[in-house]
Amino acid sequence: MNDRSGSGGYGGAGSAYGGFPAARPRRLRTTPAMRRMVAEHRPHPADLILPAFVREGISEPVPVSSMPGVVQHTRDTLRRAAVEAAAAGVGGLMLFGVPEHKDAVGSQGTDPDGILQRALRDVRSEIGDDLVVMSDLCLDEFTDHGHCGVLDAEGRVDNDATLERYAEMARVQAEAGAHVLGPSGMMDGQVGYVRRALDEAGHTDVAMFAYTAKYASAFFGPFREAVGSSLKGDRKTYQQDPAGGREALRELALDLAEGADMVMVKPGLPYLDVLRDFTREVNVPVGVYQVSGEYAMVEAAAEKGWIERERAVLETLTSFRRAGASLVLTYWAAEAARWLNEGR
């Protein structure tokens, strides 16, 4: 017998959409074409940003052992990777530099002839405006202690002295051709300080993609191999505590007040709740960084045959879009873009 009263029957005051057996959600799952037609969220190649590493002093790409398929590029192979990403329809490229020599203040990060600045000029000369060329704005790749800022006499990261270094970095990266700068060091006031430095130097069109909620995460491990990190200690005094959620909204308000054009949550999958909070709060593009540890876990499980690699990759990307992300930084960007172009 059918219960027609309330949510258990054909509908009524307790059900806005009716109930079983008249309502059968499975009707919209019957075929691939049906599922494709009614899909709520779709990753698109233009949503994807490819992080890429360029290393000084090498003649061949160097594989990153903890990130299968990812390499430290030479300047020439980086050019080719940029061309391939543009051809696949990827939206942007985020560049990280790996210098031969480091020092306490990260001098190579502000040298106009440093590896990152040379790579920016290379990529812009190769692809022009076909991709949005982004540059990581942080000192950790360039300091011999591996921290994201300069240290004071007691070995602590000096927030305000670091802001001065970020301003210098911003100017040389903009002059080298970056369309977008990604201040990622989690120093208080970094967005406003860099914005003023850019504007005073005449770079008013260079956008700011703020690493707004960047957590002190265990998922960053493989990245440190990728950039040849020299980190001693940890970054818990300036990156966010994984236990905090509301604090991210405070960082969001500050970054927007200081002039951020886009904001980011990093890592991705462990912080989908924070990502959703951001997308409900603001009307600027919200990005998410699918970090090295997330990438490595999927690759390792797929290599073992425990999961289906392509399905798993696309499922993670869809989860970011479902949580509201406009942009996704992922090491699978070029490969996933090709899959999406093929309708897979």
Side-chain angles (χ1 to χ4, degrees):
M1 186 172 101
N2 293 325
D3 177 6
R4 298 175 184 243
S5 61
S7 61
Y10 286 118
S15 173
Y17 300 103
F20 179 84
R24 293 179 182 267
R26 286 182 58 189
R27 295 187 187 112
L28 301 183
R29 306 172 194 153
T30 52
T31 66
M34 178 69 79
R35 294 190 293 273
R36 187 167 58 245
M37 183 183 74
V38 301
E40 299 172 56
H41 304 283
R42 294 183 178 89
H44 187 278
D47 304 334
L48 306 179
I49 298 165
L50 177 65
F53 308 101
V54 58
R55 178 172 167 181
E56 189 173 29
I58 58 173
S59 57
E60 298 290 337
V62 176
V64 179
S65 64
S66 54
M67 299 174 68
V70 175
V71 301
Q72 295 172 324
H73 284 286
T74 69
R75 290 171 62 189
D76 285 339
T77 64
L78 178 64
R79 285 175 179 266
R80 293 198 290 273
V83 170
E84 290 170 4
V90 169
L93 190 69
M94 177 68 81
L95 298 185
F96 297 85
V98 184
E100 281 192 282
H101 305 291
K102 304 179 182 185
D103 60 27
V105 296
S107 299
Q108 289 297 302
T110 53
D111 183 347
D113 199 38
I115 183 60
L116 183 52
Q117 284 69 252
R118 282 182 283 159
L120 285 166
R121 290 192 290 270
D122 289 342
V123 170
R124 283 300 306 276
S125 68
E126 190 72 33
I127 60 169
D129 295 331
D130 291 346
L131 275 178
V132 178
V133 179
M134 306 181 178
S135 183
D136 180 61
L137 179 59
C138 194
L139 286 171
D140 60 319
E141 301 102 307
F142 304 101
T143 55
D144 54 14
H145 48 73
H147 278 287
C148 297
V150 296
L151 304 183
D152 64 16
E154 297 180 13
R156 301 170 302 187
V157 175
D158 187 326
N159 189 98
D160 294 5
T162 298
L163 296 182
E164 294 285 351
R165 299 288 294 133
Y166 286 178
E168 293 179 59
M169 291 186 76
R171 287 189 288 266
V172 297
Q173 290 180 3
E175 287 159 8
H179 295 108
V180 176
L181 304 187
S184 63
M186 291 300 288
M187 296 297 117
D188 292 341
Q190 64 183 11
V191 172
Y193 213 90
V194 169
R195 181 73 270 163
R196 285 191 295 275
L198 289 171
D199 291 351
E200 288 169 2
H203 298 297
T204 56
D205 288 340
V206 174
M208 298 275 286
F209 194 175
Y211 285 60
T212 296
K214 182 179 179 182
Y215 285 85
S217 173
F219 290 93
F220 295 154
F223 178 90
R224 291 174 184 160
E225 179 190 350
V227 296
S229 175
S230 307
L231 181 65
K232 300 175 179 66
D234 59 51
R235 300 184 175 118
K236 293 179 180 179
T237 63
Y238 46 101
Q239 293 178 351
Q240 283 184 239
D241 185 343
R246 288 191 299 270
E247 182 186 30
L249 297 178
R250 184 183 186 196
E251 295 276 7
L252 176 63
L254 288 166
D255 281 356
L256 291 173
E258 292 174 21
D261 301 288
M262 301 178 284
V263 295
M264 187 193 303
V265 175
K266 180 181 181 180
L269 292 176
Y271 299 95
L272 288 175
D273 58 324
V274 178
L275 175 61
R276 172 54 62 88
D277 287 345
F278 273 30
T279 62
R280 288 174 172 168
E281 287 285 325
V282 302
N283 56 8
V284 300
V286 177
V288 62
Y289 197 142
Q290 185 174 44
V291 301
S292 59
E294 298 173 71
Y295 175 92
M297 287 192 303
V298 171
E299 290 289 347
E303 190 274 331
K304 291 283 190 181
W306 294 340
I307 60 173
E308 295 178 52
R309 179 176 180 271
E310 183 177 324
R311 285 186 61 196
V313 170
L314 292 176
E315 189 172 335
T316 64
L317 298 180
T318 301
S319 77
F320 298 135
R321 294 290 285 135
R322 192 177 65 247
S326 305
L327 304 166
V328 181
L329 289 89
T330 176
Y331 300 98
W332 289 301
E335 187 176 16
R338 288 190 289 271
W339 296 339
L340 294 169
N341 289 329
E342 295 165 1
R344 290 152 68 179

